[in-house]
Amino acid sequence: MDPAPSPASSNLARQINLKWLHRLITSSIGRKFIMGVTGLLLCGFLVGHLAGNFLLFKGEKDFNEYAEWIHHQKLLPLIELGLLLLFLAHIYLAFVTTFENRKARDQKYVVKESKQYDLTLPIPAHNWMFISGSIILGFLLLHLVDLRIGIRPDFVYTDSAYANTMQAISNPIGRIAYIVGPIILGFHLAHGFASAFQSLGLTHPKYSGLIYKFSIVFGIAIGAGFASLPILVPGMANRSAKPATTTSTATTPASAVDLPAHD
């Protein structure tokens, strides 16, 4: 006969009871709360990611040093796992919320509860957020295939993070994707950032307008920042390589004066 559980173990079982988490996930308010939290955390990641990518403007050495520093962080696997869970949770909740909105069309998306500070869109905001989010998901998968997993068959991957990144944003089709994707992301953030504050109940008539304006500025800054990379960086790299062509065309091999073939 098994011994009865001790009072200490019973208290521990009660402390780690996850029924509250189940209630949070299954309730409409709880899901919107989690979606707001995950959205804001992902916004923070985008700020840091954009800051690192801006090193592309400084050149190959600085960007490769940054990439090398990132890859040598001992907590990188945990950070990547956390990011993956954030993305999955946000995407799952987006699908669930959209399904609920379509099932009960008389209920509006949390952002529509306040029409005073809402984006003027040709389609309902909750539909636009779902459509733009789906496009961003496709762009994210492309980005992972290009630079994280590295399985594009038309790419020649090297040990240089700069060269691989240049290859992705210089490719004709990829260049369009890396311009359009961030623009859609910017529109998504311009609405979603303010929506996250409303989902968390952090709105008030005194500063809701300020949050709305900052949300638009934030969306424009992130979208324009990422889109500027494929627009400007390849041209800058080409111009920096041109002086080498005027030194000695007779003795310098053609492959040494052009960008690498994989760019």
Side-chain angles (χ1 to χ4, degrees):
M1 187 172 183
D2 294 335
S6 65
S9 61
S10 299
N11 291 335
L12 179 61
R14 285 194 294 268
Q15 290 176 6
I16 63 176
N17 193 323
L18 297 180
K19 288 184 178 180
W20 64 270
L21 181 59
H22 179 265
R23 289 195 296 268
L24 186 66
I25 296 175
T26 55
S27 68
S28 177
I29 295 177
R31 285 194 294 267
K32 290 174 181 178
F33 179 85
I34 297 175
M35 195 168 183
V37 171
T38 57
L40 290 179
L41 290 175
L42 290 173
C43 285
F45 162 74
L46 288 172
V47 172
H49 191 49
L50 179 59
N53 283 351
F54 270 165
L55 289 174
L56 286 168
F57 287 107
K58 297 191 68 175
E60 183 172 7
K61 180 178 180 295
D62 291 278
F63 186 78
N64 280 341
E65 288 179 352
Y66 162 74
E68 190 73 13
W69 176 79
I70 288 290
H71 291 152
H72 279 80
Q73 297 302 308
K74 294 182 179 179
L75 295 179
L76 181 61
L78 291 177
I79 294 174
E80 290 182 330
L81 177 61
L83 283 173
L84 176 62
L85 294 177
L86 284 178
F87 275 112
L88 292 178
H90 197 75
I91 292 168
Y92 168 76
L93 293 172
F95 275 96
V96 172
T97 302
T98 301
F99 177 78
E100 289 180 344
N101 286 334
R102 290 179 178 178
K103 188 177 180 180
R105 293 184 179 276
D106 57 325
Q107 296 179 356
K108 297 182 179 181
Y109 187 66
V110 63
V111 177
K112 299 296 287 182
E113 292 177 357
S114 175
K115 295 184 178 180
Q116 184 178 3
Y117 304 111
D118 199 9
L119 290 174
T120 302
L121 297 170
I123 57 177
H126 60 272
N127 287 340
W128 160 249
M129 292 298 286
F130 180 78
I131 294 172
S132 61
S134 300
I135 296 173
I136 294 167
L137 175 59
F139 172 71
L140 174 62
L141 294 176
L142 172 67
H143 182 60
L144 291 175
V145 167
D146 283 353
L147 298 175
R148 186 62 185 90
I149 306 175
I151 56 174
R152 277 284 293 271
D154 55 332
F155 283 12
V156 179
Y157 292 98
T158 71
D159 293 331
S160 170
Y162 178 86
N164 295 334
T165 304
M166 287 293 296
Q167 189 171 197
I169 64 177
S170 299
N171 179 279
I173 297 178
R175 193 172 190 179
I176 295 174
Y178 280 91
I179 293 174
V180 174
I183 291 175
I184 300 297
L185 174 63
F187 278 105
H188 189 86
L189 294 174
H191 181 84
F193 188 85
S195 172
F197 277 85
Q198 290 184 336
S199 296
L200 296 174
L202 301 177
T203 57
H204 190 277
K206 291 183 178 180
Y207 50 80
S208 292
L210 180 62
I211 293 175
Y212 167 75
K213 292 176 182 177
F214 181 82
S215 181
I216 293 179
V217 172
F218 180 76
I220 293 174
I222 295 295
F226 279 111
S228 70
L229 300 175
I231 293 175
L232 300 176
V233 174
M236 293 175 59
N238 286 328
R239 285 193 297 270
S240 64
K242 282 181 179 179
T245 64
T246 62
T247 56
S248 177
T249 58
T251 59
T252 305
S255 60
V257 298
D258 296 329
L259 285 176
H262 51 262
D263 288 347

